[in-house]
Amino acid sequence: MQVTRRDTLALGLGAAALAALPLRAQTANANIEAAILDFTGDAELADGGVTLTAPEIAENGNTVPIKVEAPGASEILVLAAGNPNPQVGRFAFGPLAASQYASTRIRLAQTQDVIAIAKLEDGSFARTSQEVKVTIGGCGG
Amino acid sequence: MKTRMLTLAGLLLTGPALADPDDDALVINGEIEIVTEAPAPVHLSDVFDTIYSGWRYRNDETQVMESDDFENPGMLGVEAARDDWVEVAGTEEESCASCHGEPEEMAGVRPVYPKWNEDAGEVRTLEMQINDCRTSRMGAEPWKYAGEDMVDMVALISSVSRGMPVDVATDGPAQSTWEAGRDIYYTRYGRLELACANCHEDNSGNMIRADHLSQGQINGFPTYRLKNAQLNAVQSRFKGCIRDTMAETFEPGSPELVALELYVASRGNGLSVEGPSVRN
Amino acid sequence: MADGVKPRVRVPDEATAGEVIQIKTLISHPMESGQRRDDDGNLIPRSIINRFTVEFGGESVIDVALEPAISSNPYFEFEATVPSSGTFVFTWYDDDGDVYTEEKTVTVA
């Protein structure tokens, strides 16, 4: 099943639960919606076609290795749903990119979903996400 | 009943797997073999059978960052120190290179520090020796004991000894300093009344909240910590640990932390020099 | 300019025509997020590398827009095709207007 952003919004607005969300979470959700809209132009988001590799548990949220890959994609957008600013990075692949993957290291403020959205060869969009648990260390040291 | 017993057995089986160091092997750049597990030194034999590098307690993502110098951000500090190595500083128109040649010629130095200095009549850390070079040979200002220039230089000197076994002397003229360090190791500090040993002996392998407690070995220092994204000097780490017990801490470069460094280093005799390592 | 910014790249020296090569880059930079406060409680202004590009012979390999959520000392790994002998040009753009570049020539045998 594919859920468009409009569907998601409609569902969200219809749910009384939204009102119970803390203001900060609501703001964050709005920021993500805006970031996705900006990238996709409100197109449908399919499952499949983009993969995200991230640790299930990060030893420290300050440096979390991730890899995104979407064969044939022209661009991949990475978002972190639980960060104060959900934008992480946007990777545009040129004609001399041998593959459409990139690895980097990112900051995660808390346990949250990392989201990757790819603009595929045919102009359609694919989305995937993975939860990364960010642990609180025992010793600040 | 049978099911319950099976479940219990399962728990017991998975328990130790979580608590123990893992079985991974560390080879840096595909060529430097690092000994991350060794028989405990004789003076530790009633505490541990085997000593482990802290690398073995980290998760795979953190471990892999140390396996390749390019992926190890601590090597940025090593490169910065290579610039300092050849830079003439002070009134004597000398650089490190003037006397020592290439940094690679320092291979074998890191493993034996802290070390007794006969002329000075004291145990000296690598940091103390570097500042002695700067002030008495180069006529330059000493570096801040655990400042960036210093920790970078210690990282450079460590890096050229990677793979060599830590081998600090605990006897002879160093013995009284070593014993002073041992006393500090077993002294409870702070409002939490914790000694080094309470975490790193009694509970090594256990989780302290979400953190996997190591044996507190220092063979990997200076260490690039994901937490603060910079190289950390060993005595800065000591200071942080003691602070976490809610105590007034000793300062890096103080006689107490110099003694503690010698003692803790000796607990890792036999492990490879690893600095600059990567930790959480 | 942020102090001591130093780019590093790892590219093979040689390749065969059309070969796929792996490239790794790391640049020393604090990536000050703009979210942190100093000891006096004042917000430390954002200061990051906001864009990173790689070109070969004028053609794009990758073009990355970076946000403050990229960790200190930004690291990237990706793959490029080498059509012929030529030079990779790596460029990092700092918030403060500074631009850091690094070049690496690859010989196609």
Side-chain angles (χ1 to χ4, degrees):
Chain A
M1 173 185 137
Q2 292 182 352
V3 179
T4 65
R5 196 189 69 92
R6 209 168 270 131
D7 292 339
T8 313
L9 271 182
L11 283 168
L13 287 172
L18 187 69
L21 282 174
L23 183 64
R24 189 168 158 166
Q26 282 190 39
T27 311
N29 283 340
N31 286 344
I32 294 168
E33 289 296 335
I36 295 175
L37 185 65
D38 182 49
F39 185 61
T40 64
D42 209 13
E44 290 193 356
L45 298 175
D47 292 330
V50 56
T51 55
L52 167 70
T53 310
E56 193 182 332
I57 301 174
E59 250 178 340
N60 193 290
N62 208 15
T63 314
V64 182
I66 65 156
K67 177 182 171 183
V68 289
E69 183 166 24
S74 55
E75 280 189 78
I76 302 177
L77 178 73
V78 180
L79 301 168
N83 275 2
N85 168 7
Q87 302 265 14
V88 174
R90 185 166 168 164
F91 300 82
F93 299 99
L96 288 182
S99 58
Q100 287 70 42
Y101 96 80
S103 295
T104 189
R105 297 164 182 164
I106 70 171
R107 294 168 170 154
L108 298 177
Q110 56 183 325
T111 294
Q112 59 181 282
D113 285 331
V114 178
I115 301 163
I117 299 173
K119 184 178 187 181
L120 302 176
E121 216 163 5
D122 62 2
S124 70
F125 290 86
R127 176 189 189 278
T128 187
S129 71
Q130 187 194 319
E131 187 189 53
V132 178
K133 290 191 171 68
V134 175
T135 60
I136 309 292
C139 288
Chain B
M1 187 63 202
K2 194 178 177 187
T3 315
R4 189 171 295 168
M5 282 178 68
L6 279 175
T7 310
L8 185 60
L11 279 175
L12 287 173
L13 280 174
T14 52
L18 268 175
D20 286 344
D22 68 16
D23 291 325
D24 293 340
L26 175 57
V27 179
I28 296 173
N29 302 331
E31 59 183 26
I32 308 172
E33 289 190 20
I34 300 293
V35 173
T36 59
E37 137 173 24
V42 174
H43 68 84
L44 265 193
S45 56
D46 57 345
V47 178
F48 296 126
D49 294 330
T50 308
I51 52 174
Y52 297 98
S53 162
W55 185 84
R56 295 279 292 274
Y57 295 80
R58 304 278 57 89
N59 70 15
D60 289 350
E61 288 82 11
T62 308
Q63 285 182 331
V64 78
M65 288 175 73
E66 195 183 318
S67 66
D68 181 334
D69 280 355
F70 198 89
E71 301 199 16
N72 179 349
M75 293 307 287
L76 290 167
V78 169
E79 286 181 12
R82 283 186 185 272
D83 293 341
D84 283 339
W85 183 262
V86 296
E87 186 180 299
V88 171
T91 56
E92 303 302 309
E93 300 292 313
E94 304 271 18
S95 69
C96 305
S98 314
C99 290
H100 296 291
E102 292 295 316
E104 282 67 22
E105 291 182 35
M106 304 302 276
V109 172
R110 168 79 271 184
V112 298
Y113 271 84
K115 182 186 172 187
W116 176 258
N117 182 303
E118 188 62 44
D119 293 340
E122 63 182 3
V123 168
R124 280 190 174 170
T125 60
L126 207 44
E127 285 89 341
M128 292 162 77
Q129 195 59 52
I130 290 167
N131 264 345
D132 184 67
C133 272
R134 287 185 61 81
T135 54
S136 62
R137 290 176 187 269
M138 296 165 71
E141 289 294 313
W143 278 330
K144 189 163 177 274
Y145 189 89
E148 191 178 352
D149 290 328
M150 180 66 88
V151 73
D152 285 351
M153 184 58 71
V154 174
L156 169 60
I157 294 172
S158 298
S159 70
V160 298
S161 289
R162 285 181 296 174
M164 301 173 76
V166 176
D167 184 22
V168 296
T170 62
D171 53 3
Q175 189 176 340
S176 61
T177 305
W178 181 82
E179 285 169 354
R182 186 186 57 191
D183 289 346
I184 292 171
Y185 193 89
Y186 288 102
T187 300
R188 291 176 179 266
Y189 288 99
R191 293 172 67 191
L192 298 182
E193 297 186 8
L194 287 172
C196 306
N198 294 125
C199 285
H200 296 291
E201 276 187 4
D202 305 346
N203 284 294
S204 73
N206 291 337
M207 303 300 282
I208 181 164
R209 295 178 70 187
D211 200 357
H212 196 188
L213 267 172
S214 72
Q215 290 180 347
Q217 298 288 356
I218 60 171
N219 58 304
F221 278 87
T223 189
Y224 184 90
R225 295 189 66 191
L226 305 183
K227 169 195 158 71
N228 60 10
Q230 64 182 34
L231 278 172
N232 295 262
V234 63
Q235 293 194 15
S236 301
R237 190 69 184 92
F238 288 161
K239 181 182 176 181
C241 270
I242 298 172
R243 185 204 57 212
D244 285 350
T245 71
M246 301 174 80
E248 288 285 333
T249 67
F250 305 112
E251 287 302 314
S254 64
E256 291 85 358
L257 292 190
V258 170
L260 183 61
E261 182 179 338
L262 172 63
Y263 174 69
V264 180
S266 79
R267 294 170 64 98
N269 273 350
L271 295 174
S272 292
V273 170
E274 238 180 76
S277 64
V278 181
R279 303 285 188 264
N280 57 324
Chain C
M1 158 173 150
D3 282 343
V5 173
K6 205 166 179 177
R8 302 166 88 204
V9 300
R10 180 184 278 178
V11 180
D13 293 330
E14 294 179 6
T16 55
E19 187 180 343
V20 172
I21 60 167
Q22 187 186 58
I23 295 177
K24 295 180 180 184
T25 70
L26 185 68
I27 187 165
S28 57
H29 197 284
M31 294 293 281
E32 191 59 60
S33 68
Q35 301 280 345
R36 298 200 308 157
R37 290 180 187 278
D38 65 17
D39 291 342
D40 298 325
N42 304 311
L43 215 51
I44 304 171
R46 171 184 139 152
S47 174
I48 69 166
I49 286 173
N50 57 52
R51 187 179 176 208
F52 166 60
T53 63
V54 183
E55 291 185 352
F56 183 89
E59 278 204 278
S60 172
V61 177
I62 197 167
D63 186 339
V64 186
L66 291 76
E67 301 289 341
I70 299 290
S71 303
S72 310
N73 306 322
Y75 169 85
F76 292 106
E77 181 191 310
F78 48 92
E79 287 179 336
T81 307
V82 185
S84 58
S85 293
T87 302
F88 282 100
V89 180
F90 303 85
T91 313
W92 293 260
Y93 298 86
D94 198 310
D95 270 352
D96 65 10
D98 277 315
V99 175
Y100 320 106
T101 57
E102 184 82 357
E103 298 192 355
K104 191 75 198 274
T105 299
V106 180
T107 307
V108 169

